[in-house]
Amino acid sequence: MTDAEDRKPQSDEARSAFVHPSGLMAPADSESSTTSEFAVPDGLAVPKPGTESETTSEFALPDGLDVAPPPAHEPEGSAFSTPRTYSARQAAAFTPPTGVPLVRLTKDVPWQDRMRTMLRMPVTERPAPEPVQRHDESGPAVPRVLDLSLRIGELLLAGGEGAEDVEAAMFAVCRSYGLDRCEPNVTFTLLAVSYQPSLVDDPVTASRTVRRRSPDYTRLAAVYQLVDDLSDDETHVSLEEAYRRLAEIRRNRHPYPGWALTAASGLLAGSASVLVGGGLLVFVAAAVGAMLGDRLAWLCAGRGLPEFYQFTVAATPPAAIGVALTLAHADVKASAVITGGLFALLPGRALVAGVQDGLTGFYITASARLLEVLYFFVGIVIGVLTVLYFGVQLGANLVPDAALVGDPRPVLQITASLGLSLAFAVLLQQERSTVLVVTLNGGVAWVVYGAMHYTGDISPVASTAVAAGVVGLFGQLLARYRFASALPYTTAAIGPLLPGSATYFGLLGIAQNEVNRGLTSLTKAVALAMAIAIGVNLGSEISRLFLRIGSAEKRRAAKRTRGF
């Protein structure tokens, strides 16, 4: 073929076969053209290209695939809020290798046990509170809720309640109004509570100082009832209603007048003198001495003197009456008179509370309480020693162990123990509905002690510990049955077990320059006091085994550290 034939125009089919790579038909020209393998076949529509080059991402969704729209933007949640992917069934995946037992808090147990269980747990393991509606839509008034919890804690701590139970009550108040991330802190004179909404919000902290203490168990029971109502999901108590009820509790008068308290102190001293071997005359002398001491202590309190001097002054009349009967050569047991007066003054309530705080891990509060007991005891020692010293100088023949001479008198001593517990309950301003129960509890305690010590010839320390354990066991069971504090059922019942005679004989030995014998007797008194306190606490812990809550599973935060 010649060059002229090569330059001859091609046919329409040949011209239509030449397509530009961009997808546009290339115009036919006079030059030779070839067909590309990337050419778009005839009849296929190709979109026009844009002004800029476009690329397709490999992550792009293919056309025609239906995909759900993305979720709306969620607000930033709290650092303490539960993640959306969290499931309670998979909670063990976030626990240590040994696993943490699942906590089940039933509603038919007292609030003390439920709150104590959660306080002993780390914050991250505490179960979330159930939704409550005791405030408006804007949320609870955090400062007012914290203030309410502090005021309730103040009344409980001033009434002699243990630090652990005070913290449980404060936590229950905060949790009942939706403030679950609260940390209460209780010491001997200071109450504090802090609330942290989240990691990004500022914490709120409030504190309150306890300056006065008054053993009014009627007021204590009313406060417990208020906290129980606040913790009940079926009882809706607003903040205003809670403040109103708290004000009524503070304004309520004591259930017993002043003359009844003075008579109760006399009954307590007289019953204690009968327990250690005294008769009718000894009963009257001890009662008169205790009532005189009580009136002198009230006079000192009205003049603003500290309690140390009040105890010192109150201890002198019984000791003076005992020395006077000895100098008069009356046929009475002066030692029983002085011992009965000491029973009415020994701070058994503060001792039990101090040892309980120490056993539950509140060492600062326990040290302060025990130091207070030591000061009271020193005041009693000074008052009695002063009278005994002058009595010995005047020729009073005070015979040691004279009060313990004689055979046991079970019926008379049991009756005296009942009267002692009854008088102690009145002095503690208990509710009239609890007086009979605590009186019977004190009688049972003395029966156990007498059966072990007099019949079984067991040491007085072991007998006292077992009897105190029975008191704590029954007291805690009665308290849990009535959803109340255990103090009204245990404190007065330990009255017959107080080491009044050992204390007196120790002081008498020191006054007669027999220091070794005196210190030995005082050491026995201390051992008896510790046996009472530990026995009451141990009985309380044993009683929790009979409850649906309170097993070792709920004591994870109280696990022993083995010294480190």
Side-chain angles (χ1 to χ4, degrees), residues 3 22 138 144 252 312 420 449 535:
D3 294 339
S22 61
S138 61
R144 296 194 65 193
N252 282 346
T312 302
L420 194 153
Y449 173 80

Side-chain angles (χ1 to χ4, degrees), residues 198-279:
S198 66
L199 291 178
V200 297
D201 295 327
D202 296 332
V204 181
T205 303
S207 62
R208 195 175 185 88
T209 303
V210 179
R211 304 187 184 277
R212 295 185 58 187
R213 293 176 178 82
S214 58
D216 188 343
Y217 284 178
T218 300
R219 179 180 297 174
L220 189 71
V223 174
Y224 261 73
Q225 183 61 45
L226 174 59
V227 179
D228 184 41
D229 292 341
L230 291 176
S231 303
D232 190 2
D233 297 334
E234 299 179 357
T235 305
H236 300 284
V237 182
S238 63
L239 273 174
E240 289 73 15
E241 178 66 17
Y243 269 103
R244 186 190 63 79
R245 291 179 57 178
L246 189 62
E248 290 180 356
I249 293 173
R250 298 179 69 95
R251 287 195 302 264
N252 282 346
R253 299 174 60 89
H254 299 305
Y256 307 103
W259 64 266
L261 299 180
T262 302
S265 63
L267 176 61
L268 193 154
S271 301
S273 64
V274 174
L275 279 179
V276 293

Side-chain angles (χ1 to χ4, degrees), residues 55-62:
T55 58
T56 302
S57 171
E58 62 270 22
F59 298 101
L61 295 175

Side-chain angles (χ1 to χ4, degrees), residues 127-484:
E130 297 182 0
V132 294
Q133 189 63 31
R134 297 174 182 169
H135 45 74
D136 54 12
E137 297 297 335
S138 61
V142 175
R144 296 194 65 193
V145 174
L146 299 184
D147 178 72
L148 178 64
S149 66
L150 289 174
R151 291 177 183 272
I152 289 178
E154 178 188 10
L155 288 180
L156 294 178
L157 189 63
E161 190 62 85
E164 186 179 31
D165 291 327
V166 175
E167 281 195 358
M170 296 173 61
F171 185 74
V173 174
C174 294
R175 189 176 176 86
S176 62
Y177 289 101
L179 307 182
D180 61 315
R181 291 181 294 274
C182 289
E183 289 295 336
N185 187 19
V186 177
T187 58
F188 186 57
T189 58
L190 182 65
L191 300 171
V193 58
S194 62
Y195 171 68
Q196 188 174 12
S198 66
L199 291 178
V200 297
D201 295 327
D202 296 332
V204 181
T205 303
S207 62
R208 195 175 185 88
T209 303
V210 179
R211 304 187 184 277
R212 295 185 58 187
R213 293 176 178 82
S214 58
D216 188 343
Y217 284 178
T218 300
R219 179 180 297 174
L220 189 71
V223 174
Y224 261 73
Q225 183 61 45
L226 174 59
V227 179
D228 184 41
D229 292 341
L230 291 176
S231 303
D232 190 2
D233 297 334
E234 299 179 357
T235 305
H236 300 284
V237 182
S238 63
L239 273 174
E240 289 73 15
E241 178 66 17
Y243 269 103
R244 186 190 63 79
R245 291 179 57 178
L246 189 62
E248 290 180 356
I249 293 173
R250 298 179 69 95
R251 287 195 302 264
N252 282 346
R253 299 174 60 89
H254 299 305
Y256 307 103
W259 64 266
L261 299 180
T262 302
S265 63
L267 176 61
L268 193 154
S271 301
S273 64
V274 174
L275 279 179
V276 293
L280 179 59
L281 184 57
V282 171
F283 177 90
V284 174
V288 171
M291 288 189 290
L292 288 176
D294 181 75
R295 287 294 92 191
L296 289 176
W298 276 103
L299 181 62
C300 294
R303 297 296 184 271
L305 290 178
E307 286 185 295
F308 175 84
Y309 301 105
Q310 297 176 28
F311 274 84
T312 302
V313 172
T316 54
I321 291 177
V323 172
L325 291 175
T326 303
L327 291 175
H329 302 286
D331 189 16
V332 296
K333 296 179 179 179
S335 300
V337 176
I338 301 175
T339 299
L342 290 177
F343 263 86
L345 297 175
L346 292 178
R349 172 182 57 86
L351 175 65
V352 173
V355 174
Q356 180 181 0
D357 288 341
L359 295 176
T360 52
F362 295 85
Y363 302 113
I364 297 178
T365 307
S367 301
R369 287 186 189 272
L370 295 178
L371 185 61
E372 182 187 40
V373 172
L374 178 62
Y375 271 103
F376 292 163
F377 188 76
V378 170
I380 297 171
V381 167
I382 292 175
V384 175
L385 270 182
T386 302
V387 176
L388 292 180
Y389 176 78
F390 284 106
V392 172
Q393 297 301 318
L394 293 175
N397 186 17
L398 298 170
V399 181
D401 297 340
L404 300 180
V405 177
D407 297 330
R409 301 168 293 177
V411 177
L412 187 59
Q413 288 180 330
I414 292 175
T415 305
S417 65
L418 293 174
L420 194 153
S421 300
L422 172 64
F424 211 163
V426 174
L427 288 175
L428 293 174
Q429 301 284 356
Q430 290 193 195
E431 290 182 300
R432 291 181 173 87
S433 60
T434 63
V435 171
L436 179 60
V437 176
V438 73
T439 301
L440 295 177
N441 199 11
V444 171
W446 181 258
V447 169
V448 174
Y449 173 80
M452 295 184 63
H453 178 57
Y454 295 112
T455 305
D457 198 18
I458 302 176
S459 67
V461 176
S463 303
T464 301
V466 174
V470 173
V471 170
L473 176 63
F474 288 166
Q476 282 289 345
L477 292 178
L478 289 171
R480 293 303 185 265
Y481 175 74
R482 300 191 61 177
F483 284 63

Side-chain angles (χ1 to χ4, degrees), residues 7 32 59 63 83 91 171 291 307 318 338 348 405 425 489 515 545 549:
R7 290 192 298 266
S32 170
F59 298 101
D63 295 336
F171 185 74
M291 288 189 290
E307 286 185 295
I338 301 175
V405 177
Y489 300 97
V515 180
L545 299 178
I549 190 171

